[in-house]
Amino acid sequence: MNKPSSKKRLKDAGQGYLFMSPTLLVLAVFIIGPILYAIFLSFHKVQLLGDMSFDFVAFDNFTRIMEDNRAIIALKNTAKYVLIVVPTQTFLALVLAATLNAGLKGEKLFRIVYFLPTLTSSAVLTLIFMWMYNKEGLINNILGKVGLPTYNFLGDPDIALNAIMLMNIWATAPFFMVIYLAALQDIPDSLYEAAELDGASAIQKFFYVTVPFLRPVTSFVVIMGVIGTFQLFDQSYIFSGGSGGPNNSTLTVVLLIYQYAFKSLGSMGYAAALAFALALIILVATLIQRKFSKEESLY
């Protein structure tokens, strides 16, 4: 069989890129271009309003991050949020999926009910939970009626971030539950039958058959969870009215980036540096998680 000539290969490649050109144009204009522009801004002191100016400051914006107390607080809040929400929502999603996959009566109804939070707008969901968390809201009314202490969920710095965590776990776990549910359909029944012959209980089958088989899916769920939780913004913004309060307890990195970019004059470059640093943190966290998942798959 004759190999195609270089001219024909060039023509085929040109046709391929021609068909891809609309997508490549969108990627260049709306993704690659803004990323490169943000990197450019991170090395400058930028004034976008009034007389536009770009003063090159080298790495000053990045060194400022280490000296910015609010940036450290935002990073700590975000890290705490990621470390608690990601494992909890992953485990909850897996348990819910395994429960629904067990063939319970009314399984289809439960699937719909569990998935409803995912269909709700994030802003609307936050407003509903704010009403529930209010001093005179639903949760405090229930706690008061059963004789338990009530809480100032929105105004107590020790509770505010935990309240957002609880809301997000409840809202995002059903989405990952659907992913797990689809993966559970691919587990061969023969594996469970072999485990039963060996005398395995339902819990043993879950931990020694289901969980190991779902490792690639769990890796995907954790990576998506890490990326999503590091980018927490809208719930924190609505809860605190954009301030990150009370006492910076709900201040996240993305909310801080917004504040510097659009509320502090001349801080757009610093906000871009914060965004670039956050992107690097997410990249490193994702690579570490992928490395661990690959090492686990070797055993």
Side-chain angles (χ1 to χ4, degrees):
M1 184 183 249
N2 294 329
K3 290 184 178 180
S5 64
S6 58
K7 188 175 180 180
K8 189 174 186 319
R9 286 201 304 268
L10 210 67
K11 181 181 178 182
D12 291 341
Q15 288 178 340
Y17 282 113
L18 180 63
F19 286 119
M20 290 170 58
S21 58
T23 302
L24 293 175
L25 181 63
V26 171
L27 287 173
V29 173
F30 295 104
I31 297 180
I32 299 174
I35 290 174
L36 295 177
Y37 187 58
I39 294 173
F40 166 78
L41 292 179
S42 66
F43 293 98
H44 292 77
K45 182 179 180 181
V46 183
Q47 176 66 42
L48 292 181
L49 299 178
D51 296 329
M52 187 179 296
S53 63
F54 298 88
D55 299 323
F56 182 72
V57 293
F59 291 95
D60 287 358
N61 286 328
F62 292 96
T63 56
R64 178 182 168 188
I65 294 175
M66 304 305 298
E67 302 166 357
D68 187 351
N69 187 47
R70 296 191 78 227
I72 302 299
I73 292 172
L75 185 58
K76 288 180 179 178
N77 289 340
T78 306
K80 177 184 176 182
Y81 179 83
V82 172
L83 291 173
I84 293 176
V85 171
V86 173
T88 306
Q89 73 183 11
T90 302
F91 179 74
L92 181 60
L94 178 56
V95 171
L96 288 175
T99 304
L100 290 178
N101 195 55
L104 298 175
K105 189 176 288 187
E107 175 188 332
K108 291 183 179 179
L109 176 62
F110 282 115
R111 288 188 184 187
I112 296 171
V113 172
Y114 287 159
F115 194 67
L116 282 178
T118 306
L119 302 177
T120 309
S121 165
S122 178
V124 173
L125 193 66
T126 305
L127 291 174
I128 292 172
F129 268 81
M130 285 183 69
W131 167 74
M132 293 172 61
Y133 285 144
N134 195 281
K135 287 183 179 180
E136 305 298 328
L138 179 64
I139 295 177
N140 277 328
N141 280 331
I142 294 174
L143 292 174
K145 286 180 180 179
V146 298
L148 295 174
T150 58
Y151 298 96
N152 183 8
F153 292 99
L154 303 178
D156 190 341
D158 295 328
I159 298 176
L161 185 61
N162 296 332
I164 295 178
M165 289 181 192
L166 184 63
M167 178 190 69
N168 275 279
I169 291 169
W170 181 81
T172 55
F175 172 75
F176 296 119
M177 175 199 73
V178 173
I179 297 174
Y180 273 124
L181 200 54
L184 284 169
Q185 313 298 318
D186 292 333
I187 301 180
D189 292 335
S190 57
L191 294 179
Y192 292 111
E193 292 169 0
E196 282 182 12
L197 291 173
D198 289 336
S201 64
I203 295 176
Q204 288 174 323
K205 285 190 288 185
F206 176 76
F207 283 105
Y208 292 104
V209 177
T210 305
V211 173
F213 193 89
L214 294 177
R215 273 179 185 164
V217 179
T218 301
S219 177
F220 170 78
V221 168
V222 170
I223 289 173
M224 295 302 294
V226 167
I227 293 172
T229 49
F230 264 115
Q231 296 177 4
L232 174 67
F233 169 73
D234 49 350
Q235 295 95 335
S236 179
Y237 179 88
I238 297 172
F239 257 79
S240 63
S243 67
N247 196 26
N248 292 326
S249 60
T250 62
L251 182 66
T252 63
V253 177
V254 179
L255 178 56
L256 186 65
I257 292 170
Y258 167 81
Q259 291 178 350
Y260 278 122
F262 300 106
K263 291 190 174 182
S264 299
L265 293 178
S267 296
M268 181 64 77
Y270 179 56
L274 278 169
F276 186 64
L278 177 62
L280 288 178
I281 291 171
I282 294 174
L283 177 62
V284 170
T286 303
L287 291 176
I288 291 173
Q289 199 284 325
R290 287 192 63 184
K291 180 175 174 61
F292 278 120
S293 64
K294 284 180 180 180
E295 287 179 353
E296 286 178 3
S297 65
L298 296 176
Y299 296 98

